């Protein structure tokens, strides 16, 4: 008896890592069709895949890692639906034809009714640059993918951009007093009021310096740029012991990259 099942049924998802010499396999995912019958199945079966969206475009920063220098890992999630009939277990293989994603298993989530998502991790250890390629989803009949179903709509182009991690040099009165990155803890520096401050960034950055009238105000040099910020702090009543300056990346990674907090202490002398 030939027993065939639609891909719109439920899935049990397990993960198995496979690496190819010719293609970088992001992960091979064992997808066992619930209640599938053994034997039979048509070798002419064609599975139609449909991605949500026509391509993947994402920007991350170099060495991005959650809890270390970022609010999130450099992950990309793709969603797609599958329509077709199979018999027995199948294996889903996601292949990257370039090097933008790390060669490790991705996370697959069954959304039901033939829909699932795959979360892949971009390779943020690559040098800064733009990496273009494509992801291909193969539906296989065995764990080695030696035998595959016919699949249509299974390729998704991508462009992954890696930008430099934000790095700062901080000067007080023309002297470099500290260096920092988005991995740094709060930088605390002694400061004499009305002394010049300069913060130089290797990438565009947004500087947040808030006045506290009655205690201190920032006099920002009109020649300041997103990569070279200059100012002085003018104190009056001295009600507060110091002032914070916050530096956040402004290169498309600001929501992920941790900001740098610099505290200028007025009473350290």
């Amino acid at each position: 008896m030939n027993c065939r099942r639609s891909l719109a049924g439920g899935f049990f998802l397990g993960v198995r890592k496979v690496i190819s010499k010719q293609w970088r396999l992001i992960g091979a995912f064992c997808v066992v069709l619930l209640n599938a019958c053994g034997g039979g199945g048509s070798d002419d079966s064609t599975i139609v895949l449909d991605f949500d969206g026509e391509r993947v475009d994402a920007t991350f920063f170099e060495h991005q890692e959650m809890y270390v220098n970022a609010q999130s890992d450099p992950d990309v999630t793709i969603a797609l639906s599958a329509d077709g009939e199979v018999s027995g277990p199948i294996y889903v293989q996601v292949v990257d034809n370039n090097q933008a994603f790390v060669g490790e298993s991705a996370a697959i989530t069954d959304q039901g009714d033939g829909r699932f998502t795959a979360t892949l991790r971009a390779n943020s250890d690559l040098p800064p640059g733009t990496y273009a390629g494509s992801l291909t989803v193969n539906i296989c009949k065995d764990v080695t993918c030696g035998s595959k179903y016919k699949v249509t709509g299974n390729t998704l182009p991508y462009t992954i951009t890696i930008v430099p991690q934000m790095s700062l040099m901080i000067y007080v009165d023309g002297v470099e007093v500290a260096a920092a990155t988005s991995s740094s803890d709060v930088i605390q520096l002694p400061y004499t009021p009305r002394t010049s401050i300069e913060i130089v960034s290797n990438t565009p950055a947004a500087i947040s310096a808030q006045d506290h009238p009655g205690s201190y105000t920032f006099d920002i040099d009109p020649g300041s740029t997103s990569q070279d910020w200059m100012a002085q702090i003018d104190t009056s009543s001295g009600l507060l012991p110091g002032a914070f300056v916050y530096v956040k990346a402004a290169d498309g990674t600001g929501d992920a990259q941790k900001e740098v907090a610099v505290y200028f202490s007025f009473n350290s002398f």
Side-chain angles (χ1 to χ4, degrees):
M1 170 180 167
N2 264 354
C3 183
R4 305 174 74 196
R5 291 290 184 269
S6 169
L7 281 168
F11 292 104
F12 171 79
L13 301 174
V15 180
R16 180 179 182 275
K17 179 179 176 181
V18 178
I19 297 295
S20 166
K21 293 182 180 179
Q22 297 179 338
W23 292 69
R24 178 180 292 271
L25 306 191
I26 299 308
F29 312 95
C30 174
V31 183
V32 181
L33 202 62
L34 298 181
N35 301 319
C37 298
S42 172
D43 289 338
D44 296 327
S45 298
T46 297
I47 298 171
V48 179
L49 299 183
D50 185 20
F51 292 95
D52 289 3
E54 297 180 352
R55 60 178 298 108
V56 172
D57 292 288
T59 299
F60 304 104
F61 66 92
E62 196 175 14
H63 309 308
Q64 180 173 337
E65 184 178 356
M66 188 165 60
Y67 306 127
V68 175
N69 53 28
Q71 310 296 336
S72 59
D73 284 317
D75 290 343
V76 168
T77 297
I78 59 175
L80 63 157
S81 58
D83 186 19
E85 294 183 338
V86 297
S87 175
I90 65 172
Y91 300 84
V92 178
Q93 185 186 68
V94 182
V95 182
D96 174 16
N97 75 338
N98 200 343
Q99 56 178 341
F101 294 90
V102 295
E104 63 181 35
S105 297
I108 293 286
T109 302
D110 173 27
Q111 304 293 345
D113 294 326
R115 289 185 55 79
F116 61 93
T117 58
T119 299
L120 317 174
R121 181 147 303 168
N123 184 2
S124 63
D125 289 333
L126 290 170
T130 299
Y131 300 86
S134 62
L135 298 171
T136 299
V137 177
N138 296 318
I139 308 297
C140 307
K141 302 177 183 180
D142 60 79
V143 73
T144 64
C145 267
S147 179
K148 303 175 183 177
Y149 283 95
K150 296 178 183 178
V151 180
T152 63
N154 62 328
T155 299
L156 183 68
Y158 68 75
T159 299
I160 299 297
T161 301
I162 305 295
V163 300
Q165 181 180 3
M166 185 175 65
S167 177
L168 308 176
M169 291 186 297
I170 305 165
Y171 299 85
V172 174
D173 202 18
V175 177
E176 183 180 347
V177 293
T181 69
S182 50
S183 304
S184 302
D185 294 326
V186 175
I187 306 298
Q188 183 167 331
L189 301 171
Y191 179 74
T192 301
R194 302 300 304 177
T195 302
S196 64
I197 299 168
E198 185 176 12
I199 299 177
V200 178
S201 174
N202 66 324
T203 62
I207 308 290
S208 176
Q210 185 176 357
D211 292 341
H212 281 264
S215 181
Y216 62 83
T217 56
F218 284 91
D219 295 330
I220 300 174
D221 191 312
S224 294
T225 69
S226 63
Q227 292 185 244
D228 190 358
W229 184 84
M230 297 167 287
Q232 294 181 350
I233 306 175
D234 185 13
T235 62
S236 53
S237 62
L239 295 177
L240 295 176
F244 274 102
V245 174
Y246 297 95
V247 186
K248 186 174 183 178
D251 56 6
T253 65
D255 290 339
Q257 193 162 182
K258 287 173 59 178
E259 68 180 6
V260 175
V262 184
Y263 182 73
F264 293 97
S265 177
F266 303 150
N267 60 353
S268 298
F269 296 94

